[in-house]
């Protein structure tokens, strides 16, 4: 059974030394998750969840980050996981159409603080959660993504795998039951992308909390269905139809997906990134005057248009999922960061005027390459009739063009500095780069409050 393969790996992962490059990439994904979380702390739904659970705070050892509060692990994972998905700066595993950090790291951190685990054990847990969940996610795409949000579904399994490493290190049986139990609670519907409601971010928090609770139960004898993945009425049959389970176990334990994570360079939906990158490159390389642009033609894969084809966004959430808006913003302002979604930018007449000159077309070749390639072709036509075109085969931040450590550091400080203050953000960043040198509680997360 598939669960047995994953459980054997998770059991071994608890004590096996990580290769140096894998450990380095594990630190990178943790740093990137903290950056996304800190950006999301002042946003919905994190603030609302803290208010909703106010009477449950103040007990336990797990930090509700940015609020100076502690909680039991499940609640901390629920709030932190949701907040880390709010600003749309969270990481991506491209082949799975999946944000692994939000559920996996939120769960692992909450349990690591609760158990006073070492930083090394936290990193081992994170890697285990990433390796299991990214493989399952890749095995069920692209069919799964038609109706389901992979971060909410597969994220439950990644969070449970990470939890098992921390709660029952080396115990493959506990890992099997934790992942099996979490799998039956997998949920998260694509319809959440089509609304300004807070539901999408909650998918990540629910997955993190589910993983924590499943791992805690399994560590105390709660059993799960061992053929839950491949059974006739199991996860694959219900949420995909015809999964390629060979992908799910290929290279497990020897070839690490955590070294191939996309880290976002823009604060919006990842389906828009290739088009943003292409458009900004054309403006930069040809010194184009945005006021003289007559037309912008974007060819992308069908899912990108389905999810982000909104030409009339009215809220920050809608704008993050509007390809015309973020491309126009990138052309006019040279970036799509947090300020792109401030009220004055949402009402900017220049952005809105440029949006009317943008057309979106589904490209059959690019559609066929999804999800393993996220590409776009962009052509800009100027008022004098000259045309400039660029094919962007991947996104800045993808494994083919990764954010290096310096760029990741800059991203952390850009997002975390305003929340914590530059000195505290820099101190936290330094500690995270050396995470394997200290117990997790020594990070002092409870003392970090958003300004």
């Amino acid at each position: 059974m598939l669960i047995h393969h994953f459980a054997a790996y998770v059991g071994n992962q608890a004590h096996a030394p990580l290769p140096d490059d894998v450990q380095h990439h594990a630190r990178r994904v943790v740093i990137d998750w903290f950056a996304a979380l800190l950006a999301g702390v002042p946003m919905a739904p994190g603030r609302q969840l803290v208010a909703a659970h106010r009477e449950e705070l103040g007990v336990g050892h797990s930090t509700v980050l940015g609020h100076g509060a502690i909680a039991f692990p499940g609640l901390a994972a629920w709030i932190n996981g949701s907040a880390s998905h709010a600003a749309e700066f969270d990481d991506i595993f491209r082949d799975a159409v999946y944000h692994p950090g939000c559920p996996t790291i939120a769960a692992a951190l909450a349990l690591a603080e609760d158990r006073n685990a070492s930083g090394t054990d936290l990193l081992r847990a994170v890697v285990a959660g990433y390796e299991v969940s990214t493989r399952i996610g890749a095995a069920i795409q692209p069919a799964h993504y038609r109706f389901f949000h992979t971060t909410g579904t597969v994220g439950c399994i990644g969070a449970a795998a990470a939890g098992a490493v921390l709660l029952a290190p080396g115990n493959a049986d506990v890992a099997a039951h934790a992942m099996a139990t979490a799998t039956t609670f997998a949920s998260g519907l694509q319809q959440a992308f089509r609304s300004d409601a807070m539901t999408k971010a909650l998918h990540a928090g629910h997955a993190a909390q589910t993983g924590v609770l499943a791992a805690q139960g399994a560590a105390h004898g709660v059993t799960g269905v061992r053929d839950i993945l491949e059974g006739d009425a199991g996860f694959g049959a219900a949420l995909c139809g015809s999964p390629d389970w060979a992908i799910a176990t290929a290279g497990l334990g020897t070839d690490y997906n955590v070294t191939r994570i996309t880290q976002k360079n823009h604060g919006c939906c990842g389906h828009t990134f290739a088009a943003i990158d292409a458009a900004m490159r054309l403006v930069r390389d040809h010194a184009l005057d945005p006021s003289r642009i007559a037309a912008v033609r974007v060819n992308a894969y069908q899912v990108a248009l389905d999810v982000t084809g909104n030409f009339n966004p009215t809220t920050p959430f809608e704008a993050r999922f509007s390809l015309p808006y973020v491309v126009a913003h990138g052309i006019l302002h040279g970036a799509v960061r947090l300020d792109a979604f401030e009220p004055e930018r949402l009402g900017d007449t220049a952005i809105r005027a440029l949006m009317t000159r943008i057309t979106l077309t589904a490209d059959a070749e690019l559609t066929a390459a999804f999800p393993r390639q996220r590409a776009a072709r962009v052509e800009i036509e100027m008022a004098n009739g000259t045309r400039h075109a660029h094919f962007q085969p991947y996104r800045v931040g993808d494994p083919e063009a990764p954010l290096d450590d310096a760029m990741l550091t800059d991203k952390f400080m850009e997002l975390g500095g305003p929340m914590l203050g530059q000195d505290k953000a820099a101190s936290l960043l330094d500690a995270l780069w050396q995470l394997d040198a200290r117990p997790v509680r020594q990070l002092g997360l409870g003392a970090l409050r958003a300004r």
Side-chain angles (χ1 to χ4, degrees):
M1 295 180 187
L2 285 168
I3 285 287
H4 292 165
H5 288 282
F6 291 123
Y9 161 72
V10 172
N12 182 65
Q13 182 65 64
H15 299 299
L18 294 172
D20 289 345
D21 67 321
V22 174
Q23 187 148 314
H24 181 70
H25 279 279
R27 287 193 292 267
R28 282 172 52 87
V29 299
V30 170
I31 288 168
D32 196 50
W33 177 80
F34 268 90
L37 170 65
L38 291 171
V41 163
M43 298 180 179
R47 292 180 293 106
Q48 288 81 354
L49 293 180
V50 169
H53 295 281
R54 181 68 63 186
E55 294 182 1
E56 302 168 65
L57 301 176
V59 291
H61 298 288
S62 304
T63 305
V64 178
L65 283 142
H67 296 277
I70 54 173
F72 290 132
L75 180 56
W78 163 237
I79 298 175
N80 292 337
S82 298
S84 65
H85 198 38
E88 292 292 336
F89 267 110
D90 44 331
D91 65 9
I92 302 167
F93 184 67
R94 181 174 57 198
D95 291 4
V97 203
Y98 168 47
H99 302 281
C102 297
T104 302
I105 300 176
L109 179 65
L111 287 170
E113 285 191 292
D114 184 66
R115 305 285 290 184
N116 197 21
S118 69
T120 297
D121 287 339
L122 172 60
L123 293 175
R124 287 191 177 117
V126 168
V127 171
Y130 270 62
E131 296 309 309
V132 169
S133 59
T134 55
R135 282 172 167 77
I136 293 173
I140 59 175
Q141 300 298 2
H144 181 75
Y145 199 67
R146 181 182 176 193
F147 294 113
F148 296 100
H149 183 197
T150 321
T151 302
T153 56
V154 172
C156 294
I157 310 171
V165 170
L166 292 160
L167 293 176
N171 191 323
D173 200 49
V174 167
H177 290 301
M179 291 184 289
T181 296
T183 301
T184 201
F185 293 108
S187 64
L189 295 171
Q190 274 274 347
Q191 194 63 29
F193 293 19
R194 277 71 167 174
S195 167
D196 191 37
M198 302 175 194
T199 311
K200 180 177 183 286
L202 297 179
H203 290 169
H206 172 261
Q209 182 183 45
T210 293
V212 167
L213 299 180
Q216 288 175 321
H220 290 84
V222 174
T223 61
V225 180
R226 291 181 182 266
D227 62 350
I228 192 69
L229 289 170
E230 73 271 36
D232 290 344
F235 179 88
L239 277 67
C240 169
S242 55
D244 183 357
W245 289 127
I247 293 176
T249 56
L252 183 63
T254 58
D255 183 27
Y256 290 86
N257 285 343
V258 74
T259 67
R260 293 184 289 273
I261 297 298
T262 296
Q263 285 157 332
K264 287 187 172 184
N265 194 42
H266 309 298
C268 50
C269 178
H271 293 308
T272 67
F273 284 15
I276 296 171
D277 293 335
M280 291 198 310
R281 178 167 178 169
L282 286 171
V283 171
R284 181 180 65 249
D285 288 356
H286 300 282
L288 302 182
D289 178 355
S291 69
R292 303 295 296 165
I293 291 175
V296 180
R297 302 178 183 93
V298 177
N299 283 30
Y301 50 95
Q302 184 65 56
V303 167
L305 274 56
D306 292 342
V307 175
T308 67
N310 182 1
F311 274 85
N312 187 33
T314 59
T315 67
F317 178 89
E318 291 176 350
R320 287 185 172 93
F321 284 79
S322 168
L323 196 157
Y325 178 84
V326 295
V327 166
H329 190 284
I331 289 172
L332 289 168
H333 295 280
V336 185
R337 310 296 272 197
L338 289 175
D339 61 358
F341 309 101
E342 294 296 325
E344 60 269 24
R345 292 286 172 85
L346 290 176
D348 188 329
T349 56
I351 293 175
R352 296 292 170 160
L354 183 54
M355 288 171 65
T356 66
R357 299 194 288 276
I358 295 175
T359 57
L360 309 179
T361 303
D363 184 291
E365 180 183 353
L366 301 184
T367 298
F370 175 83
R372 290 171 177 81
Q373 183 183 39
R374 310 292 182 85
R377 293 185 177 90
V378 174
E379 180 184 78
I380 295 180
E381 181 177 349
M382 304 304 291
N384 63 3
T386 60
R387 298 183 180 188
H388 307 276
H390 179 69
F391 173 59
Q392 186 73 25
Y394 45 76
R395 304 166 294 187
V396 173
D398 273 342
E400 295 85 355
L403 304 187
D404 62 23
D405 289 355
M407 296 169 72
L408 190 62
T409 290
D410 289 344
K411 175 181 174 179
F412 182 94
M413 292 303 299
E414 179 184 342
L415 300 180
M419 295 301 107
L420 302 177
Q422 294 297 314
D423 290 344
K424 288 184 178 179
S427 179
L428 174 59
L429 176 62
D430 182 64
L432 292 173
W433 276 123
Q434 303 175 65
L435 182 57
D436 44 339
R438 72 193 70 212
V440 174
R441 286 188 191 172
Q442 287 187 11
L443 292 172
L445 300 177
L448 299 177
R449 298 182 64 99
R451 298 195 303 177

